[in-house]
Amino acid sequence: MENMNEGEHHLAVSESKSPYGCHTTKGEGESPRARRRRLLQQLGKVMRASLGMCLIGSLYTFPSVLLSDATRHNTTIYGNTISFDGRQDMISSLVLLGSLPGTWLTGFLSMKLGRRLSMMTNGVLGVAGWLGTALLPSATGILVARCVSGLAVGGMSVAVNAYVAELSDPEVRGMMSMALNLAIMFGQLLTVSIGYNARYFLVALLNTIIPTAFIIFLIWMPESPSVLVLRGEEEAGLEVLLELRGRHADLKAEVKSYRDMNAASERAWRSLLHPPVLKSLAVISTLFFFSSFSGQLVITANASKIFEEAGTSLDGNLSAIIVMVVQIVAGICGFFLLDKLGRKKVLYIGFLLISVSLTVMATHIGKTQQASASDDGVEMAGGWLPLACLVVSQIGSSLGVNGVPFLLSQEYFPTAIRPQANSVTLTMWTVATFLVLQLHTTMVKGLTLAGLYGFYASVSALAIPFIAFCIRETMGENVG
């Protein structure tokens, strides 16, 4: 016993005097029924945490609601008029801009505060952002509130994704992470559906329910077990692991993996400069670039406006809702496919669907703009083909193009540097997405609408060889 280090001694004592010492491998001896029940309980925790991502989704699609409301009513909750002339793109892009400091602050504090308290703090910012959007009496005030909401978006992106990756069994981590993607889609659909006829300030007030419920649920949620172990709270970490993995799991091996994979990461920010880590940062950041410049968030944030620009005869708001329902259905498919096909195959399928559908969209818009308005065939195509193309592109996006980069950003890095590494990769995603949203109107004027969709299609096509040569498969790996 004298030759044991302190951690090994503690584990030996735990093994002999508590249920933590029961350690068959990978759930060996666990009945299928017990495993299903345990994973459903794990999914329940993930779904409660996913309300943080639902908040993000509701913030992404709110610009469509706000701009539509400004066109119809153009007044605040107090009855005074407001104008966003020349600042329409800022409604979307300021959330992304605000997310940058949120990302870095959470990256700095996530290990000290823990994942749970970090998520609660960002939930409070989410409530404040929605209240400001609903109650501030000017366009400038609303834009400031969107910046505050952006702080919550950045913090949630770091803390919630890390938390779910650290809670989940390796064999179902892809499914659990796709549940977060589904939550984003649900938040998007909820906001647009409520905003179909409701005023923007009512939508904002109703959306405060999401972060409020998120904060309340977190009171009864456990801290990340890997964070507890690395902070020296091993007994508490083992209790959480026992609840998550069950009494048949090899808890001793999992705790050892936390230590082994984080042994070289005592100074987290300095560890980011190690060559293997730098390479991983570059790969994930580039994947985020491809995801952003595939144009899918632009389509989501400006769905109603895009359908009008495409010349469709269908109601823009209704078409946007149809697209988002399809997103959720495709997201459910991705939920079941990600741990069966693997991360790379899902990315191949997603980017291929986006590239093909947006190529067709670009070609159609180019021809329609040159065709006679009296041509009945063109009129009919103008009604349904843009919707069909955007539906297919959103299927590709929802299968994994939007979600998988966030999952890989958790799987490529161990617990001790995960928040800091995420701060770097999410900064790349934020800057790229900010540029895509902010420059949307400028790019339409410079490239034409057809040229813009052709650009998105080309970026998506280039992503496929990048995935083949640079992305490694992480399905089933231990994330430490």
Side-chain angles (χ1 to χ4, degrees), residues 310-386:
T312 177
S313 59
L314 299 175
D315 178 79
N317 288 329
L318 179 60
S319 297
I321 291 172
I322 292 171
V323 167
M324 287 168 199
V325 170
V326 170
Q327 281 183 333
I328 291 176
V329 173
I332 293 171
C333 294
F335 177 82
F336 291 105
L337 290 175
L338 200 56
D339 284 316
K340 294 184 181 296
L341 298 181
R343 289 37 166 166
K344 293 183 69 169
K345 288 182 181 177
V346 169
L347 284 172
Y348 287 142
I349 295 169
F351 276 113
L352 181 62
L353 288 174
I354 293 172
S355 181
V356 171
S357 61
L358 293 188
T359 298
V360 174
M361 180 83 160
T363 304
H364 163 74
I365 291 175
K367 289 183 177 180
T368 301
Q369 289 173 341
Q370 299 172 2
S372 169
S374 62
D375 187 331
D376 293 337
V378 171
E379 223 173 274
M380 181 176 177
W384 290 103
L385 191 56

Side-chain angles (χ1 to χ4, degrees), residues 240-259:
V240 175
L241 280 175
L242 182 63
E243 180 184 359
L244 292 171
R245 308 291 184 252
R247 64 187 182 86
H248 295 285
D250 190 348
L251 305 184
K252 179 178 178 179
E254 184 153 358
V255 168
K256 185 176 184 299
S257 74
Y258 294 157
R259 292 206 187 99

Side-chain angles (χ1 to χ4, degrees), residues 459-472:
V459 171
S460 300
L462 289 172
I464 295 174
F466 172 78
I467 294 163
F469 294 109
C470 298
I471 298 295
R472 79 169 196 269

Side-chain angles (χ1 to χ4, degrees), residues 26 31 34 69 191 198 205 398 406 409 411 419-420 423 435 472:
K26 291 187 179 180
S31 69
D69 183 90
T191 296
L205 287 172
S398 302
F406 288 93
S409 191
E411 294 180 327
Q420 293 80 7
S423 297
L435 290 174
R472 79 169 196 269

